[in-house]
Amino acid sequence: MKKTSTRLADGRELIYYDLRDAVVRDAADRRPLERTVTTSEVRRDPLLGDTVAIASHRQGRTYHPPADECPLCPSEGDRLSEIPDTSYDVVVFENRFPSLAGDSGRCEVVCFTPDHSASFKDLTEEHARLVLEAWTDRTAELSHLPSVEQVFCFENRGAEIGVTLGHPHGQIYAYPFTTPRTALMLRSLAAHKEATGGENLFDDLVARELAGERVVLEAEHWVAFVPYAAHWPYEVHLYPRRRVPDLLGLDEEARAEFPRVYLELLRRFDRIFDACGDSPSPPGSPGRPGSPGLPVSRVSPGEPATPYIAAWHQAPFGVLEEFDGVAREDFALHLELFTVRRTSGKLKFLAGSESGMSVFINDVPPEQAAGRLREVASP
């Protein structure tokens, strides 16, 4: 991997990640941009104890531009974009409309490919590995910023999720605090450690799932399953078999295997709703031998690509004193992949119970979801 850092016309950092060392990246940003001004502010809710980012400047961000005006495609002739060069492998740059900025953290955009019509699942394994290396490198670099306590790499795909740019890309949020979701995990981790005399909750959870019926995919260094209390209609958690706190902790074997495993999961997600009729799958259907027949939602071949969120959970880089007895190394890196589509043409909305009380209602039993995800495995 070759890494080349440069600056855009308004001073924002941009980094090229290339597969080949011979590539030269010296194109200048020719746009007449003024320096970016943001109004990002972090406020703490005194009742709930969580945090809200107030970012009114984002109201003016680019919204569903036509493909020939996409700001994430390479620049070409007089059509100038956020990427000055005429090509790239993977590129990362500071978001022009960040939710977090300055003392409130940092937001970056990760462009997975120059191909506007592609998706992450269309990448080669070599290219997917390059994205992994970019995520890892940015996690390392951002963790050194004094305003950053936790780094979150993620991808939103699909207009149903709220994506405003159709080009295949993800984002990285560098928070100045430990996020509420992670804090809940750390508290559960501390309580389990105390109650069991030192056992690790992540280790015990993965062991239980591996012994159950919700396993979706097993590889030498990775395992994927639908969790017992899945919040979303189709939700998969992907763990490295060797517990590490963050992307930096993955060894070469896990890194080398990740692209094949992750690309397979993404391709299965796009096949969930790819047939017609609702019928039970037969006993012993693809997946684990002897798996029971499960009802399967099927849709027409014209079903749009499955919208999803893919989210990496990494340990915070800050001090964990408030979580008694928990060290960074106790946390387990994992990726959460889920869709808001519950069946053909129908989405899961966060309505009264979810939005008002944080109590999720899932219309698809996790065991059924796991069965379907095994059925649509690649040949």
Side-chain angles (χ1 to χ4, degrees), residues 97-108:
F97 303 97
S99 302
L100 306 166
D103 292 339
S104 298
R106 176 158 158 157
C107 292
E108 298 182 338

Side-chain angles (χ1 to χ4, degrees), residues 191-211:
H192 184 81
K193 192 172 186 178
E194 181 178 3
T196 60
E199 296 295 319
N200 184 281
L201 176 58
F202 287 108
D203 293 348
D204 291 350
L205 182 150
V206 173
R208 286 197 301 271
E209 292 291 356
L210 284 175

Side-chain angles (χ1 to χ4, degrees), residues 293-311:
L294 296 170
V296 177
S297 296
R298 301 182 185 278
V299 301
S300 66
E303 184 73 23
T306 303
Y308 65 74
I309 292 175

Side-chain angles (χ1 to χ4, degrees), residues 10 70 145 269 311 322 328 334 365:
D10 56 6
C70 175
L145 297 180
F269 259 60
E322 63 179 291
R328 262 195 104 245
H334 60 285

